[in-house]
Amino acid sequence: GAGVSQSPSNKVTEKGKDVELRCDPISGHTALYWYRQSLGQGLEFLIYFQGNSAPDKSGLPSDRFSAERTGGSVSTLTIQRTQQEDSAVYLCASSFGTSGDNEQFFGPGTRLTVL
Amino acid sequence: DQQVKQNSPSLSVQEGRISILNCDYTNSMFDYFLWYKKYPAEGPTFLISISSIKDKNEDGRFTVFLNKSAKHLSLHIVPSQPGDSAVYFCAAKRYGNKLVFGAGTILRVKS
């Protein structure tokens, strides 16, 4: 498949546990983004990676959230000590670059439920 | 601070008629605007975009209008089809930056 893939598709965890969400971007895309959509809300930017530049972490809601992108490809979003308010659909997107006409292609998302 | 607003949570339109989805923004630094469409259990898919130097962009049944002075854009779908039923997100960006999304509008096209 040539699209953005994410795993797992669903994750149920207990409050206080750590979770890792994975994103495989489209091959050759230099930019990778993480967003989340809480129930009834729009998409909220979390973090983005562009090539070898330092990531823009300005959207991460707390220091419990972190992300890395290894080898310029796969990315992992880690949430430590999960809280119930972390429950949301976490969406990853990738693009060739970050200029206006570089379309962001989204994966299907990971639905995270924190009990 | 909600920089991109979609004030209509939902819209219902008869098949064959025009659907008009509206979006307002507050940040005058945005230079690119996009509409995404999302079906349940899928990620958003790009629909159409417009640069801030234009006031209209058309792609088949979809047209986006931009009114910079009013900081307002709209998406027109003509004619509307049942398959257009989805959540539509308006998004805006500055060069090199992340997308800022509105809360979305649920469009239902009745046959």
Side-chain angles (χ1 to χ4, degrees), chain B residues 20-41:
Chain B
I20 300 176
L21 298 115
N22 293 303
C23 178
D24 297 289
Y25 62 96
T26 58
N27 190 338
S28 59
M29 298 298 291
F30 289 140
D31 60 4
Y32 211 78
F33 303 90
L34 308 91
W35 284 94
Y36 277 80
K37 176 180 178 180
K38 185 180 184 302
Y39 293 116

PDB file of all heavy atoms in Angstrom, chain B residues 20-41:
ATOM      1  N   ILE B  20     -23.300  24.547   0.823  1.00  0.00           N
ATOM      2  CA  ILE B  20     -22.368  25.639   1.108  1.00  0.00           C
ATOM      3  C   ILE B  20     -21.862  25.483   2.536  1.00  0.00           C
ATOM      4  O   ILE B  20     -22.638  25.552   3.489  1.00  0.00           O
ATOM      5  CB  ILE B  20     -23.024  27.015   0.925  1.00  0.00           C
ATOM      6  CG1 ILE B  20     -23.514  27.186  -0.516  1.00  0.00           C
ATOM      7  CG2 ILE B  20     -22.016  28.128   1.272  1.00  0.00           C
ATOM      8  CD1 ILE B  20     -24.260  28.486  -0.767  1.00  0.00           C
ATOM      9  N   LEU B  21     -20.574  25.253   2.655  1.00  0.00           N
ATOM     10  CA  LEU B  21     -19.955  25.110   3.972  1.00  0.00           C
ATOM     11  C   LEU B  21     -19.072  26.326   4.225  1.00  0.00           C
ATOM     12  O   LEU B  21     -18.304  26.721   3.352  1.00  0.00           O
ATOM     13  CB  LEU B  21     -19.126  23.825   4.027  1.00  0.00           C
ATOM     14  CG  LEU B  21     -19.959  22.564   3.830  1.00  0.00           C
ATOM     15  CD1 LEU B  21     -19.570  21.854   2.564  1.00  0.00           C
ATOM     16  CD2 LEU B  21     -19.813  21.635   5.011  1.00  0.00           C
ATOM     17  N   ASN B  22     -19.208  26.883   5.400  1.00  0.00           N
ATOM     18  CA  ASN B  22     -18.533  28.136   5.707  1.00  0.00           C
ATOM     19  C   ASN B  22     -17.435  27.975   6.753  1.00  0.00           C
ATOM     20  O   ASN B  22     -17.489  27.065   7.592  1.00  0.00           O
ATOM     21  CB  ASN B  22     -19.544  29.162   6.212  1.00  0.00           C
ATOM     22  CG  ASN B  22     -20.514  29.576   5.134  1.00  0.00           C
ATOM     23  OD1 ASN B  22     -20.108  30.055   4.081  1.00  0.00           O
ATOM     24  ND2 ASN B  22     -21.802  29.378   5.379  1.00  0.00           N
ATOM     25  N   CYS B  23     -16.488  28.902   6.688  1.00  0.00           N
ATOM     26  CA  CYS B  23     -15.339  28.854   7.578  1.00  0.00           C
ATOM     27  C   CYS B  23     -14.833  30.279   7.788  1.00  0.00           C
ATOM     28  O   CYS B  23     -14.749  31.054   6.822  1.00  0.00           O
ATOM     29  CB  CYS B  23     -14.262  27.981   6.950  1.00  0.00           C
ATOM     30  SG  CYS B  23     -12.735  27.837   7.881  1.00  0.00           S
ATOM     31  N   ASP B  24     -14.528  30.619   9.022  1.00  0.00           N
ATOM     32  CA  ASP B  24     -13.961  31.926   9.339  1.00  0.00           C
ATOM     33  C   ASP B  24     -12.621  31.743  10.032  1.00  0.00           C
ATOM     34  O   ASP B  24     -12.419  30.767  10.750  1.00  0.00           O
ATOM     35  CB  ASP B  24     -14.903  32.708  10.251  1.00  0.00           C
ATOM     36  CG  ASP B  24     -16.229  33.000   9.596  1.00  0.00           C
ATOM     37  OD1 ASP B  24     -16.253  33.837   8.678  1.00  0.00           O
ATOM     38  OD2 ASP B  24     -17.229  32.365   9.976  1.00  0.00           O
ATOM     39  N   TYR B  25     -11.723  32.694   9.833  1.00  0.00           N
ATOM     40  CA  TYR B  25     -10.421  32.600  10.487  1.00  0.00           C
ATOM     41  C   TYR B  25     -10.043  33.957  11.065  1.00  0.00           C
ATOM     42  O   TYR B  25     -10.589  34.997  10.678  1.00  0.00           O
ATOM     43  CB  TYR B  25      -9.345  32.089   9.519  1.00  0.00           C
ATOM     44  CG  TYR B  25      -9.087  32.968   8.319  1.00  0.00           C
ATOM     45  CD1 TYR B  25      -8.042  33.893   8.321  1.00  0.00           C
ATOM     46  CD2 TYR B  25      -9.873  32.858   7.169  1.00  0.00           C
ATOM     47  CE1 TYR B  25      -7.792  34.690   7.220  1.00  0.00           C
ATOM     48  CE2 TYR B  25      -9.623  33.651   6.062  1.00  0.00           C
ATOM     49  CZ  TYR B  25      -8.587  34.561   6.090  1.00  0.00           C
ATOM     50  OH  TYR B  25      -8.343  35.355   5.001  1.00  0.00           O
ATOM     51  N   THR B  26      -9.125  33.940  11.993  1.00  0.00           N
ATOM     52  CA  THR B  26      -8.747  35.177  12.669  1.00  0.00           C
ATOM     53  C   THR B  26      -7.309  35.611  12.374  1.00  0.00           C
ATOM     54  O   THR B  26      -6.988  36.787  12.512  1.00  0.00           O
ATOM     55  CB  THR B  26      -8.912  35.035  14.190  1.00  0.00           C
ATOM     56  OG1 THR B  26      -8.112  33.935  14.639  1.00  0.00           O
ATOM     57  CG2 THR B  26     -10.365  34.782  14.557  1.00  0.00           C
ATOM     58  N   ASN B  27      -6.458  34.673  11.974  1.00  0.00           N
ATOM     59  CA  ASN B  27      -5.043  34.988  11.803  1.00  0.00           C
ATOM     60  C   ASN B  27      -4.783  35.479  10.372  1.00  0.00           C
ATOM     61  O   ASN B  27      -4.867  34.715   9.419  1.00  0.00           O
ATOM     62  CB  ASN B  27      -4.212  33.732  12.095  1.00  0.00           C
ATOM     63  CG  ASN B  27      -2.725  34.017  12.178  1.00  0.00           C
ATOM     64  OD1 ASN B  27      -2.243  35.015  11.640  1.00  0.00           O
ATOM     65  ND2 ASN B  27      -2.001  33.143  12.835  1.00  0.00           N
ATOM     66  N   SER B  28      -4.436  36.742  10.230  1.00  0.00           N
ATOM     67  CA  SER B  28      -4.201  37.310   8.897  1.00  0.00           C
ATOM     68  C   SER B  28      -2.894  36.812   8.272  1.00  0.00           C
ATOM     69  O   SER B  28      -2.619  37.097   7.109  1.00  0.00           O
ATOM     70  CB  SER B  28      -4.181  38.834   8.989  1.00  0.00           C
ATOM     71  OG  SER B  28      -3.168  39.256   9.873  1.00  0.00           O
ATOM     72  N   MET B  29      -2.098  36.074   9.033  1.00  0.00           N
ATOM     73  CA  MET B  29      -0.849  35.532   8.501  1.00  0.00           C
ATOM     74  C   MET B  29      -1.058  34.230   7.729  1.00  0.00           C
ATOM     75  O   MET B  29      -0.143  33.752   7.064  1.00  0.00           O
ATOM     76  CB  MET B  29       0.150  35.282   9.632  1.00  0.00           C
ATOM     77  CG  MET B  29       0.551  36.532  10.378  1.00  0.00           C
ATOM     78  SD  MET B  29       1.371  37.712   9.299  1.00  0.00           S
ATOM     79  CE  MET B  29       2.914  36.861   8.979  1.00  0.00           C
ATOM     80  N   PHE B  30      -2.219  33.649   7.833  1.00  0.00           N
ATOM     81  CA  PHE B  30      -2.483  32.435   7.052  1.00  0.00           C
ATOM     82  C   PHE B  30      -2.377  32.767   5.569  1.00  0.00           C
ATOM     83  O   PHE B  30      -2.923  33.775   5.103  1.00  0.00           O
ATOM     84  CB  PHE B  30      -3.872  31.880   7.339  1.00  0.00           C
ATOM     85  CG  PHE B  30      -4.022  31.254   8.695  1.00  0.00           C
ATOM     86  CD1 PHE B  30      -5.178  31.449   9.440  1.00  0.00           C
ATOM     87  CD2 PHE B  30      -3.037  30.439   9.232  1.00  0.00           C
ATOM     88  CE1 PHE B  30      -5.339  30.868  10.684  1.00  0.00           C
ATOM     89  CE2 PHE B  30      -3.180  29.857  10.473  1.00  0.00           C
ATOM     90  CZ  PHE B  30      -4.334  30.077  11.204  1.00  0.00           C
ATOM     91  N   ASP B  31      -1.695  31.914   4.820  1.00  0.00           N
ATOM     92  CA  ASP B  31      -1.555  32.183   3.393  1.00  0.00           C
ATOM     93  C   ASP B  31      -2.038  31.035   2.518  1.00  0.00           C
ATOM     94  O   ASP B  31      -1.905  31.087   1.295  1.00  0.00           O
ATOM     95  CB  ASP B  31      -0.106  32.548   3.045  1.00  0.00           C
ATOM     96  CG  ASP B  31       0.873  31.432   3.383  1.00  0.00           C
ATOM     97  OD1 ASP B  31       0.423  30.350   3.820  1.00  0.00           O
ATOM     98  OD2 ASP B  31       2.086  31.636   3.221  1.00  0.00           O
ATOM     99  N   TYR B  32      -2.583  30.021   3.146  1.00  0.00           N
ATOM    100  CA  TYR B  32      -3.072  28.884   2.365  1.00  0.00           C
ATOM    101  C   TYR B  32      -4.209  28.243   3.134  1.00  0.00           C
ATOM    102  O   TYR B  32      -4.130  28.088   4.354  1.00  0.00           O
ATOM    103  CB  TYR B  32      -1.931  27.877   2.160  1.00  0.00           C
ATOM    104  CG  TYR B  32      -2.014  27.114   0.872  1.00  0.00           C
ATOM    105  CD1 TYR B  32      -1.621  27.704  -0.327  1.00  0.00           C
ATOM    106  CD2 TYR B  32      -2.494  25.806   0.842  1.00  0.00           C
ATOM    107  CE1 TYR B  32      -1.698  27.012  -1.518  1.00  0.00           C
ATOM    108  CE2 TYR B  32      -2.571  25.112  -0.352  1.00  0.00           C
ATOM    109  CZ  TYR B  32      -2.170  25.719  -1.522  1.00  0.00           C
ATOM    110  OH  TYR B  32      -2.249  25.036  -2.711  1.00  0.00           O
ATOM    111  N   PHE B  33      -5.243  27.887   2.390  1.00  0.00           N
ATOM    112  CA  PHE B  33      -6.445  27.338   3.015  1.00  0.00           C
ATOM    113  C   PHE B  33      -6.841  26.057   2.300  1.00  0.00           C
ATOM    114  O   PHE B  33      -6.718  25.944   1.074  1.00  0.00           O
ATOM    115  CB  PHE B  33      -7.589  28.358   2.944  1.00  0.00           C
ATOM    116  CG  PHE B  33      -7.237  29.673   3.585  1.00  0.00           C
ATOM    117  CD1 PHE B  33      -6.643  30.671   2.823  1.00  0.00           C
ATOM    118  CD2 PHE B  33      -7.461  29.898   4.929  1.00  0.00           C
ATOM    119  CE1 PHE B  33      -6.284  31.885   3.404  1.00  0.00           C
ATOM    120  CE2 PHE B  33      -7.111  31.097   5.520  1.00  0.00           C
ATOM    121  CZ  PHE B  33      -6.526  32.092   4.764  1.00  0.00           C
ATOM    122  N   LEU B  34      -7.326  25.111   3.068  1.00  0.00           N
ATOM    123  CA  LEU B  34      -7.638  23.801   2.522  1.00  0.00           C
ATOM    124  C   LEU B  34      -8.958  23.306   3.077  1.00  0.00           C
ATOM    125  O   LEU B  34      -9.371  23.673   4.181  1.00  0.00           O
ATOM    126  CB  LEU B  34      -6.544  22.789   2.882  1.00  0.00           C
ATOM    127  CG  LEU B  34      -5.099  23.150   2.566  1.00  0.00           C
ATOM    128  CD1 LEU B  34      -4.428  23.866   3.744  1.00  0.00           C
ATOM    129  CD2 LEU B  34      -4.301  21.900   2.220  1.00  0.00           C
ATOM    130  N   TRP B  35      -9.585  22.437   2.315  1.00  0.00           N
ATOM    131  CA  TRP B  35     -10.743  21.695   2.802  1.00  0.00           C
ATOM    132  C   TRP B  35     -10.411  20.206   2.750  1.00  0.00           C
ATOM    133  O   TRP B  35      -9.874  19.705   1.750  1.00  0.00           O
ATOM    134  CB  TRP B  35     -11.981  21.972   1.941  1.00  0.00           C
ATOM    135  CG  TRP B  35     -12.595  23.306   2.199  1.00  0.00           C
ATOM    136  CD1 TRP B  35     -12.354  24.481   1.523  1.00  0.00           C
ATOM    137  CD2 TRP B  35     -13.573  23.618   3.202  1.00  0.00           C
ATOM    138  NE1 TRP B  35     -13.111  25.500   2.051  1.00  0.00           N
ATOM    139  CE2 TRP B  35     -13.866  25.005   3.079  1.00  0.00           C
ATOM    140  CE3 TRP B  35     -14.238  22.880   4.183  1.00  0.00           C
ATOM    141  CZ2 TRP B  35     -14.792  25.654   3.904  1.00  0.00           C
ATOM    142  CZ3 TRP B  35     -15.146  23.525   4.999  1.00  0.00           C
ATOM    143  CH2 TRP B  35     -15.419  24.894   4.857  1.00  0.00           C
ATOM    144  N   TYR B  36     -10.735  19.530   3.849  1.00  0.00           N
ATOM    145  CA  TYR B  36     -10.565  18.095   3.942  1.00  0.00           C
ATOM    146  C   TYR B  36     -11.934  17.476   4.186  1.00  0.00           C
ATOM    147  O   TYR B  36     -12.809  18.053   4.829  1.00  0.00           O
ATOM    148  CB  TYR B  36      -9.626  17.719   5.093  1.00  0.00           C
ATOM    149  CG  TYR B  36      -8.158  17.802   4.755  1.00  0.00           C
ATOM    150  CD1 TYR B  36      -7.491  19.024   4.765  1.00  0.00           C
ATOM    151  CD2 TYR B  36      -7.430  16.663   4.434  1.00  0.00           C
ATOM    152  CE1 TYR B  36      -6.150  19.103   4.456  1.00  0.00           C
ATOM    153  CE2 TYR B  36      -6.088  16.735   4.129  1.00  0.00           C
ATOM    154  CZ  TYR B  36      -5.451  17.957   4.152  1.00  0.00           C
ATOM    155  OH  TYR B  36      -4.116  18.031   3.841  1.00  0.00           O
ATOM    156  N   LYS B  37     -12.063  16.257   3.711  1.00  0.00           N
ATOM    157  CA  LYS B  37     -13.301  15.489   3.868  1.00  0.00           C
ATOM    158  C   LYS B  37     -12.960  14.239   4.676  1.00  0.00           C
ATOM    159  O   LYS B  37     -11.915  13.622   4.453  1.00  0.00           O
ATOM    160  CB  LYS B  37     -13.801  15.117   2.468  1.00  0.00           C
ATOM    161  CG  LYS B  37     -15.009  14.244   2.382  1.00  0.00           C
ATOM    162  CD  LYS B  37     -15.301  14.024   0.883  1.00  0.00           C
ATOM    163  CE  LYS B  37     -16.479  13.125   0.669  1.00  0.00           C
ATOM    164  NZ  LYS B  37     -16.731  12.930  -0.781  1.00  0.00           N
ATOM    165  N   LYS B  38     -13.828  13.886   5.604  1.00  0.00           N
ATOM    166  CA  LYS B  38     -13.533  12.725   6.437  1.00  0.00           C
ATOM    167  C   LYS B  38     -14.754  11.843   6.579  1.00  0.00           C
ATOM    168  O   LYS B  38     -15.821  12.292   7.002  1.00  0.00           O
ATOM    169  CB  LYS B  38     -13.044  13.181   7.818  1.00  0.00           C
ATOM    170  CG  LYS B  38     -12.598  12.044   8.721  1.00  0.00           C
ATOM    171  CD  LYS B  38     -12.127  12.546  10.057  1.00  0.00           C
ATOM    172  CE  LYS B  38     -11.582  11.412  10.916  1.00  0.00           C
ATOM    173  NZ  LYS B  38     -12.553  10.337  11.144  1.00  0.00           N
ATOM    174  N   TYR B  39     -14.555  10.557   6.241  1.00  0.00           N
ATOM    175  CA  TYR B  39     -15.569   9.537   6.489  1.00  0.00           C
ATOM    176  C   TYR B  39     -15.259   8.875   7.829  1.00  0.00           C
ATOM    177  O   TYR B  39     -14.111   8.872   8.285  1.00  0.00           O
ATOM    178  CB  TYR B  39     -15.558   8.479   5.381  1.00  0.00           C
ATOM    179  CG  TYR B  39     -16.001   8.984   4.033  1.00  0.00           C
ATOM    180  CD1 TYR B  39     -15.122   8.996   2.954  1.00  0.00           C
ATOM    181  CD2 TYR B  39     -17.295   9.444   3.815  1.00  0.00           C
ATOM    182  CE1 TYR B  39     -15.518   9.443   1.712  1.00  0.00           C
ATOM    183  CE2 TYR B  39     -17.703   9.894   2.573  1.00  0.00           C
ATOM    184  CZ  TYR B  39     -16.809   9.897   1.514  1.00  0.00           C
ATOM    185  OH  TYR B  39     -17.204  10.342   0.284  1.00  0.00           O
ATOM    186  N   PRO B  40     -16.262   8.274   8.473  1.00  0.00           N
ATOM    187  CA  PRO B  40     -16.032   7.592   9.749  1.00  0.00           C
ATOM    188  C   PRO B  40     -14.944   6.527   9.635  1.00  0.00           C
ATOM    189  O   PRO B  40     -14.860   5.819   8.631  1.00  0.00           O
ATOM    190  CB  PRO B  40     -17.393   6.963  10.052  1.00  0.00           C
ATOM    191  CG  PRO B  40     -18.379   7.815   9.326  1.00  0.00           C
ATOM    192  CD  PRO B  40     -17.685   8.248   8.076  1.00  0.00           C
ATOM    193  N   ALA B  41     -14.117   6.441  10.637  1.00  0.00           N
ATOM    194  CA  ALA B  41     -13.054   5.437  10.746  1.00  0.00           C
ATOM    195  C   ALA B  41     -11.974   5.577   9.669  1.00  0.00           C
ATOM    196  O   ALA B  41     -11.197   4.646   9.450  1.00  0.00           O
ATOM    197  CB  ALA B  41     -13.622   4.018  10.722  1.00  0.00           C
TER     198      ALA B  41
END
